[in-house]
């Protein structure tokens, strides 16, 4: 586990002789190893001693005083006494004292902070499958953190805000975060992730993910391959239906009845194909899709045009357009000529009055 050593140097000075112990506060993750170092700049062969928060002596010089296999000597000299505590637990946290046995005894205190590692989070409250329109509350919980962990929610990769609750449990904290959802079809297949952020998690944060499965009634639309269907052409109608469970198969009808000509009207899956259109194909075509949550349908009104009539109509339209353009041009010319005439007449009248 990662060991964090920092914070200010603490020292206790007595007199002016220059003999005083120097120590540092230590922060360590639960289960890790803490090194406690006490140094003296000037020492006249006086012994150093480490004691725990209960004032039990751990080491006096290089002599071990407490029977605890986790505590070992790292270095012992007249200027330094360093010990290590392995497999640190939360109960090891507290104020440790280094004593320099001068007259009087001089001490320095170092605080050992133990970080509680949060457990892997769990997500509760998810019903599979959820139904469109359901109100769902997802709850994420993690235990064992010290200080209290932070929980963050993500909808796929986008962060969303949850409601956080923190409860103390001895020296550690239990943290919950709730996320309320009004489920719709857009949530189908969406991953909701709860992530734990904590100072003890120095590498990859802990997280849990649940993927929503949403069941919803189908919606249907018809897509057609031709804008202006004409006799003899090939036409494909596609029934696009979206629902969960998938609404298969779809049902095609014409004018409320079964399809009349299955030789030219071919149904393959969701597609209705006309190999060669004719006037008898005119009518209202309906596609219907169902699952256990409901039924949906869409209609397409087919009118098959005569290609010769469309060509004649195009010629007529062009002729009419040309006549209209000529009339507009002549009208504009008349307006311009009339305007000039009126302007000249008005000017002549003004001169005569003068």
């Amino acid at each position: 586990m990662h060991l964090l050593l920092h914070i200010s140097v603490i020292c206790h000075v007595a007199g002016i002789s220059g003999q005083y112990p120097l120590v540092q506060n230590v922060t360590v993750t639960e289960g890790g190893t803490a090194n406690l170092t006490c140094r003296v700049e000037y020492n006249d062969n006086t012994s150093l001693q480490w004691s725990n928060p209960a004032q039990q002596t751990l080491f006096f010089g290089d002599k071990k005083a407490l029977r605890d296999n986790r505590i070992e000597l790292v270095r012992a000299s007249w200027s330094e006494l360093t010990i290590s505590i392995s497999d640190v637990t939360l109960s090891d946290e507290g104020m440790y004292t280094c004593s320099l046995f001068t007259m009087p005894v001089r001490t320095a205190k170092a605080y050992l902070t133990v970080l509680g590692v949060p457990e892997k989070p769990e997500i509760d409250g998810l019903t599979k499958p959820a139904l469109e329109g359901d109100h769902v509350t997802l709850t994420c919980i993690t235990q064992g953190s010290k200080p209290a962990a932070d929980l963050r929610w993500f909808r796929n990769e986008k962060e969303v805000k949850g409601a956080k609750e923190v409860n103390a449990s001895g020296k550690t904290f239990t943290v919950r975060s709730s996320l309320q959802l009004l489920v719709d079809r857009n949530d189908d297949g969406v991953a909701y992730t709860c992530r734990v952020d904590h100072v003890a998690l120095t590498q990859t944060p802990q997280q849990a993910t649940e993927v929503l499965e949403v069941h919803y009634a189908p919606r249907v639309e018809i897509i057609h391959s031709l804008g202006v269907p004409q006799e003899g052409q090939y036409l494909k109608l596609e029934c696009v239906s979206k629902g969960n469970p998938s609404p298969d198969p779809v049902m095609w009808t014409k004018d409320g009845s079964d399809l009349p000509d299955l030789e030219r009207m071919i149904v393959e899956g969701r597609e209705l194909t006309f190999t060669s259109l004719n006037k008898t194909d005119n009518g209202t075509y309906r596609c219907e899709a169902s699952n256990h949550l409901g039924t949906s349908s869409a209609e397409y009104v087919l009118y098959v045009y005569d290609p010769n009539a469309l060509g004649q109509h195009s010629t007529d339209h062009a002729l009419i357009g040309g006549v209209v353009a000529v009339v507009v041009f002549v009208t504009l010319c008349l307006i311009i000529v009339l305007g000039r005439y009126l302007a000249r007449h008005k000017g002549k009248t003004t001169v005569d009055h003068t």
Side-chain angles (χ1 to χ4, degrees):
M1 304 294 288
H2 184 65
L3 175 65
L4 303 173
L5 285 173
H6 54 89
I7 311 202
S8 60
V9 173
I10 303 173
C11 55
H12 184 95
V13 182
I16 59 174
S17 66
Q19 285 185 290
Y20 52 86
L22 300 173
V23 298
Q24 288 182 316
N25 292 334
V26 176
T27 299
V28 63
T29 301
E30 184 179 13
T33 299
N35 286 337
L36 299 174
T37 297
C38 180
R39 290 189 176 91
V40 179
E41 292 186 5
Y42 307 102
N43 192 357
D44 53 359
N45 298 337
T46 303
S47 297
L48 291 169
Q49 171 187 289
W50 271 113
S51 56
N52 63 16
Q55 294 305 309
Q56 296 172 309
T57 301
L58 303 179
F59 269 89
F60 184 81
D62 59 357
K63 301 296 189 293
K64 188 174 183 177
L66 185 67
R67 292 185 178 180
D68 187 335
N69 294 331
R70 301 177 306 127
I71 303 175
E72 296 181 352
L73 178 66
V74 176
R75 185 177 297 104
S77 67
W78 294 115
S79 61
E80 178 183 339
L81 178 60
T82 299
I83 64 173
S84 68
I85 307 173
S86 58
D87 296 326
V88 172
T89 66
L90 294 176
S91 62
D92 292 321
E93 183 171 273
M95 193 72 75
Y96 288 74
T97 303
C98 176
S99 301
L100 177 64
F101 282 88
T102 56
M103 292 297 292
V105 176
R106 299 170 184 175
T107 63
K109 296 183 181 295
Y111 196 88
L112 175 62
T113 300
V114 181
L115 303 176
V117 182
E119 296 178 3
K120 182 179 175 67
E122 295 181 357
I123 298 176
D124 296 324
L126 183 62
T127 302
K128 289 188 177 182
L131 301 181
E132 186 173 33
D134 282 354
H135 290 270
V136 174
T137 300
L138 300 180
T139 301
C140 179
I141 181 171
T142 181
Q143 303 179 49
S145 60
K146 176 183 172 294
D150 188 29
L151 294 179
R152 300 165 64 193
W153 284 100
F154 294 85
R155 184 184 189 274
N156 290 334
E157 299 300 322
K158 183 178 180 181
E159 186 168 1
V160 292
K161 189 171 181 59
K164 181 180 173 183
E165 176 186 344
V166 178
N167 293 296
S169 178
K171 291 186 176 183
T172 62
F173 295 89
T174 298
V175 184
R176 291 180 176 83
S177 182
S178 299
L179 188 65
Q180 295 187 347
L181 306 174
L182 177 58
V183 177
D184 64 25
R185 63 188 60 212
N186 295 323
D187 286 314
D188 187 39
V190 170
Y192 282 89
T193 299
C194 175
R195 180 181 300 172
V196 181
D197 285 345
H198 192 264
V199 63
L201 302 174
T202 56
Q203 297 178 353
T204 304
Q206 300 269 30
Q207 65 183 39
T209 299
E210 290 286 354
V211 178
L212 265 64
E213 179 186 356
V214 181
H215 281 192
Y216 50 93
R219 291 179 184 170
V220 175
E221 66 173 324
I222 296 176
I223 299 176
H224 48 88
S225 61
L226 294 176
V228 182
Q230 301 176 36
E231 287 184 296
Q233 286 186 326
Y234 171 93
L235 173 66
K236 181 174 72 173
L237 302 180
E238 182 181 0
C239 182
V240 179
S241 59
K242 295 181 181 179
N244 192 15
S246 180
D248 289 319
V250 299
M251 184 174 68
W252 286 98
T253 58
K254 177 187 178 185
D255 297 330
S257 302
D258 293 339
L259 298 178
D261 189 351
L262 294 180
E263 291 185 0
R264 290 185 312 103
M265 301 178 185
I266 302 172
V267 177
E268 292 182 346
R270 301 172 180 271
E271 296 179 354
L272 171 59
T273 302
F274 299 81
T275 56
S276 180
L277 291 171
N278 61 48
K279 288 288 187 178
T280 63
D281 295 326
N282 290 347
T284 300
Y285 291 82
R286 180 186 181 92
C287 168
E288 185 175 285
S290 302
N291 61 19
H292 71 281
L293 294 174
T295 300
S296 179
S297 63
E299 293 183 345
Y300 172 76
V301 178
L302 174 60
Y303 183 83
V304 181
Y305 291 88
D306 181 349
N308 296 323
L310 284 176
Q312 182 63 40
H313 290 161
S314 298
T315 303
D316 293 343
H317 291 162
L319 180 60
I320 293 171
V323 171
V324 171
V326 171
V327 171
V328 170
F329 177 75
V330 171
T331 302
L332 289 175
C333 291
L334 290 174
I335 291 173
I336 293 171
V337 171
L338 181 61
R340 290 182 176 179
Y341 171 77
L342 291 175
R344 289 179 180 178
H345 181 73
K346 183 177 179 181
K348 182 177 180 181
T349 303
T350 302
V351 172
D352 291 342
H353 282 297
T354 302

